[in-house]
Amino acid sequence: MDRTAEGEAMGGMGGSEMGVVAGIVLALLAVAAGWWHLRRAPAVLRATTAASPVHGDDSEPVEDAADPAVPVDAADPAVLARDLLGRFHAVALGGKPVVMRPGHAEVVAGTVEVLEHIEARPHYTPRRPNLLPQLMRKVNDPDASGKAIAAIIARDPALAGNLLRYANSALYRVQSKPVESIERAVALVGTDGIRQIIAAVLVQPVMGAGGGVFARFAPVTWEHTLLSAAAAADHAKLVERDDAFAAQLLGLLHGLGATIVTRVVRDQYARQRGLVANASLAAGLLDQRAAPTACRLARKWELSGRIIQALDEQALEDAAAMSALGRSLRFGRLAGSLALLSRQGRLDPSCALPALAVVEPRSASTPAIWERLRHGVD
């Protein structure tokens, strides 16, 4: 597995950096305004949400009307991508008009400063198993024995505990006697089960319940993350003929990055007494910072260069300029948004396949991936 040896310089925020932060504030205002406009205006999908009042910072209620039925804009997949992710953020954070008050710029500056050094903030990030590189190499080695894999897992309590829980679950357990041997557990769950355990230990929700615009974020975003990871894995396997586990891990990492960004934003708002959190500003920070935050974690955890490259590529709009894993992650994120919106009653499911054909026009496997998302992902 490739390992990146280069770190990133860390330091305080000087005058030039404060100028960068000011630019980010202006950019986020534009992103937030565009996000709200996309959500309010007729877009490329048919929404089925009933109208409901929403409130912004010290603003009057705004009616959240359903969008009318319109055709998919096959000529501009970038517009489709922005619309889908904007609608997902609307579900996760609520729909709020952009009303900026004093203190929001400080929230942005504080958030950027924390995220630029997130690898040095263990409070915000889950622990990486110390033996992860060795275990991933062994699991991806077709000649590796179950005994060798078990020996590595036995040396890490978190991995061993999760393995035994999986092996004793209804999915794997075949007799009444509990599974207590690591080697037997490895034989029961198999390679695919071990990969799931690695992902579960690496990437798990690190954000507790919050109030205001953050009240629904953790459960909704984690659902979106699981859907995105499953779709990315299927896309890598069926379309790109690439490593499905790497694509699944990418989907989970990106979701973890989004969760960390939102937790940092929430904590920065908590430092501004009396300031109501602005959902549009949070959505703008998510758009700009989720993938880079996940990328920093991937470097810290010594994941492969392909993983890091795919996360970096999420800033690109042209799929042709991405690597195979980058395209799978992009497809997974958008397919996950479609599935979540459909489950939440915010999208007519009949719009999903035409939208996915815009995102991925090269493959006939898209309907099968969509059916798995709708019915097969737990």
Side-chain angles (χ1 to χ4, degrees), residues 6-7 71 74 101 104 129 180 206 221 223 229 237 243 250 284 295 306 314-315 325 366 378:
E6 295 181 1
R101 304 295 184 205
H104 290 288
E180 298 176 344
V206 293
T221 298
E223 181 182 3
K237 179 180 179 180
D243 186 345
L250 274 166
C295 197
R306 295 182 70 220
Q314 297 313 295
L325 284 179
T366 302
D378 183 356

Side-chain angles (χ1 to χ4, degrees), residues 222-304:
W222 194 241
E223 181 182 3
H224 178 261
T225 297
L226 296 177
L227 291 166
S228 299
D234 283 348
H235 184 272
K237 179 180 179 180
L238 300 175
V239 180
E240 299 290 351
R241 301 294 190 265
D242 209 309
D243 186 345
F245 175 62
Q248 179 193 30
L249 185 59
L250 274 166
L252 294 170
L253 280 168
H254 193 280
L256 177 61
T259 299
I260 291 172
V261 169
T262 305
R263 188 178 176 195
V264 173
V265 174
R266 186 189 67 183
D267 290 352
Q268 291 298 314
Y269 268 113
R271 299 175 63 179
Q272 303 290 329
R273 292 184 178 275
L275 184 66
V276 179
N278 187 285
S280 297
L281 185 62
L285 283 163
L286 277 172
D287 286 337
Q288 292 196 0
R289 292 285 166 170
T293 298
C295 197
R296 287 179 178 276
L297 290 181
R299 288 192 176 96
K300 178 184 178 183
W301 289 346
E302 299 178 349
L303 299 182
S304 72

Side-chain angles (χ1 to χ4, degrees), residues 58-378:
D58 305 321
S59 65
E60 293 298 319
V62 179
E63 185 175 308
D64 185 19
D67 291 339
V70 293
V72 172
D73 183 1
D76 196 347
V79 172
L80 171 62
R82 286 194 295 269
D83 186 82
L84 282 177
L85 295 176
R87 289 173 184 272
F88 158 58
H89 290 150
V91 172
L93 293 167
K96 311 280 181 175
V98 180
V99 182
M100 303 305 295
R101 304 295 184 205
H104 290 288
E106 287 81 357
V107 168
V108 173
T111 298
V112 170
E113 184 175 13
V114 171
L115 292 176
E116 286 295 319
H117 307 138
I118 196 65
E119 62 271 35
R121 304 282 187 129
H123 172 64
Y124 287 113
T125 58
R127 181 187 71 91
R128 188 205 78 173
N130 294 327
L131 300 168
L132 175 70
Q134 299 97 303
L135 181 58
M136 290 187 71
R137 281 195 294 269
K138 193 66 69 174
V139 168
N140 289 323
D141 180 0
D143 297 323
S145 67
K147 185 175 182 179
I149 294 173
I152 295 175
I153 293 176
R155 292 159 56 194
D156 190 289
L159 290 169
N162 274 275
L163 172 60
L164 291 174
R165 278 193 290 274
Y166 270 65
N168 283 288
S169 69
L171 181 63
Y172 293 109
R173 192 167 169 179
V174 295
Q175 54 183 289
S176 58
K177 184 179 179 181
V179 178
E180 298 176 344
S181 162
I182 297 294
E183 192 169 339
R184 181 165 172 246
V186 168
L188 275 176
V189 304
T191 301
D192 286 342
I194 297 297
R195 288 170 182 255
Q196 298 291 338
I197 290 163
I198 293 171
V201 174
L202 261 184
V203 187
Q204 43 192 304
V206 293
M207 178 177 174
V213 301
F214 304 111
R216 299 184 62 216
F217 181 84
V220 170
T221 298
W222 194 241
E223 181 182 3
H224 178 261
T225 297
L226 296 177
L227 291 166
S228 299
D234 283 348
H235 184 272
K237 179 180 179 180
L238 300 175
V239 180
E240 299 290 351
R241 301 294 190 265
D242 209 309
D243 186 345
F245 175 62
Q248 179 193 30
L249 185 59
L250 274 166
L252 294 170
L253 280 168
H254 193 280
L256 177 61
T259 299
I260 291 172
V261 169
T262 305
R263 188 178 176 195
V264 173
V265 174
R266 186 189 67 183
D267 290 352
Q268 291 298 314
Y269 268 113
R271 299 175 63 179
Q272 303 290 329
R273 292 184 178 275
L275 184 66
V276 179
N278 187 285
S280 297
L281 185 62
L285 283 163
L286 277 172
D287 286 337
Q288 292 196 0
R289 292 285 166 170
T293 298
C295 197
R296 287 179 178 276
L297 290 181
R299 288 192 176 96
K300 178 184 178 183
W301 289 346
E302 299 178 349
L303 299 182
S304 72
R306 295 182 70 220
I307 294 285
I308 293 168
Q309 178 185 353
L311 288 166
D312 275 335
E313 289 170 344
Q314 297 313 295
L316 303 176
E317 290 192 344
D318 183 9
M322 296 180 176
S323 63
L325 284 179
R327 287 191 294 270
S328 291
L329 175 57
R330 173 180 178 266
F331 176 90
R333 292 170 58 209
L334 300 179
S337 297
L338 281 167
L340 182 133
L341 292 168
S342 179
R343 290 183 178 191
Q344 295 279 336
R346 302 290 185 98
L347 174 73
D348 186 333
S350 67
C351 296
L353 282 177
L356 287 176
V358 174
V359 179
E360 180 49 82
R362 301 173 299 157
S363 174
S365 301
T366 302
I369 297 174
W370 173 245
E371 286 304 309
R372 169 173 158 76
L373 281 186
R374 288 187 63 199
H375 304 298
V377 176
D378 183 356

